[in-house]
């Protein structure tokens, strides 16, 4: 071997002690004169050492190793020596083992890579979920705080209807009053209707009770004529009524 080795694999073969005696001799004589190839051989030594560390022999499945060795030996025997192509020439048992070890390392790396990919996918799913929750919360906040959002109170259809009163009043023709949905009262209490005039104190328009459905009425009570009404009110008073209102206002309605 006068020039540099023709194939880069020769460095690995030499590092593995797999060169044939003749080649080995030529290689070594060239090495003494070539700094480049000496450096390359150091690299090859390093590679082989790493390979040994990465995949110790006991980690290679014995069945696979034997099958591979059998194939390598079989092919080497069937092929005439002169016709062995360069790339097959380096397939010595030792290098075949190294290749197998590299293959195993590659498979392990691939597995590791897949696990990392799965973790990344999980993290992306988490981030997307958090993003969606944040967007929902923002939407709820926007809805609640908008000035033109309408607010509606809904009640059960079976709930008791709101108490209500309707007064029909004319200063000369008199007063009609109907109440509905008022709670029933104990016998010592009564509802009392008041005409609240534009000036002066409230004028009693009489007392009334309600029936089982909460309905009550006062028809054409005795009232002074020509009184301008400002409002009407119903208060809760002692049985029989009082000259001036004392109890809680149950219903109130202004004349509009
Ligand atoms: Zn060289």
């Amino acid at each position: 071997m006068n020039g540099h080795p023709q194939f880069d694999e020769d460095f690995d073969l030499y590092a593995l002690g797999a060169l044939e005696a003749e080649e080995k001799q030529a290689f070594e004589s060239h090495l003494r004169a070539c700094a480049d190839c000496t450096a390359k051989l150091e690299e090859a030594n390093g590679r082989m050492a790493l390979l040994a560390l990465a995949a110790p022999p006991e980690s290679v499945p014995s069945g696979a190793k034997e099958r591979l060795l059998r194939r390598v030996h079989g092919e080497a025997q069937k092929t005439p020596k002169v016709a062995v192509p360069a790339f097959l020439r380096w397939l010595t048992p030792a290098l075949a083992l190294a290749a197998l070890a590299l293959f195993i390392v590659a498979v392990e790396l691939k597995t590791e890579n897949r696990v990392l990919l799965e973790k990344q996918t999980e993290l992306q799913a988490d981030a997307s979920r958090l993003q969606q929750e944040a967007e929902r919360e923002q939407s709820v906040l926007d809805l609640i705080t908008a000035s033109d959002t309408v607010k509606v109170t809904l009640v059960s259809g079976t709930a008791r209807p709101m108490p209500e009163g309707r007064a029909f009043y004319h200063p000369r023709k008199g007063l009609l009053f109907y109440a509905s949905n008022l709670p029933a009262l104990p016998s010592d209490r009564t509802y009392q209707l008041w005409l609240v005039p534009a000036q002066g104190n409230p004028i009693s328009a009489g007392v009334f009770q309600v029936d089982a459905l909460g309905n009550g009425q006062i028809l054409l009570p005795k009232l002074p004529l020509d009184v301008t009404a400002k409002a009407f009110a119903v208060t809760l008073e002692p049985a029989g009524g009082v000259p001036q209102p004392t109890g809680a206002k149950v219903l109130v309605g202004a004349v509009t």
Side-chain angles (χ1 to χ4, degrees), residues 2-5 11 27 30-31 33-38 40:
N2 297 324
H4 307 296
F11 294 97
F27 190 78
H30 174 79
L31 276 178
C34 182
D36 281 356
C37 287
T38 304
K40 279 189 175 180

Side-chain angles (χ1 to χ4, degrees), residues 147-221:
S147 61
D148 50 351
T149 292
V150 296
K151 297 165 185 77
V152 180
T153 302
L154 286 82
V155 297
S156 163
T158 60
R160 189 187 177 88
M162 291 291 284
E164 193 175 56
R166 278 160 200 262
F168 302 86
Y169 176 68
H170 189 281
R172 297 199 73 85
K173 299 176 192 288
L175 172 68
L176 297 178
F177 175 75
Y178 300 94
S180 56
N181 307 318
L182 285 171
L185 295 178
S187 58
D188 61 334
R189 308 289 284 169
T190 188
Y191 291 113
Q192 188 162 2
L193 176 64
W194 304 93
L195 185 164
V196 183
Q199 279 128 23
N201 292 329
I203 301 161
S204 176
V207 296
F208 67 98
Q209 298 291 331
V210 293
D211 61 18
L213 295 171
N215 298 323
Q217 59 192 24
I218 291 176
L219 303 178
L220 302 171

Side-chain angles (χ1 to χ4, degrees), residues 100-166:
L100 185 62
L102 261 182
F103 173 75
I104 288 166
V105 170
V107 167
E108 280 169 4
L109 281 175
K110 211 175 162 187
T111 305
E112 211 169 289
N113 202 29
R114 206 187 57 227
V115 170
L116 282 174
L117 260 174
E118 280 167 6
K119 274 188 189 156
Q120 191 189 8
T121 306
E122 270 173 41
L123 284 174
Q124 279 170 347
D126 284 350
S128 156
R129 247 194 322 275
L130 285 175
Q131 172 79 11
Q132 280 176 3
E133 277 171 28
E135 279 168 8
R136 267 183 79 79
E137 279 165 20
Q138 186 57 52
S139 298
V140 169
L141 203 61
D142 287 347
L143 175 59
I144 289 174
T145 55
S147 61
D148 50 351
T149 292
V150 296
K151 297 165 185 77
V152 180
T153 302
L154 286 82
V155 297
S156 163
T158 60
R160 189 187 177 88
M162 291 291 284
E164 193 175 56
R166 278 160 200 262

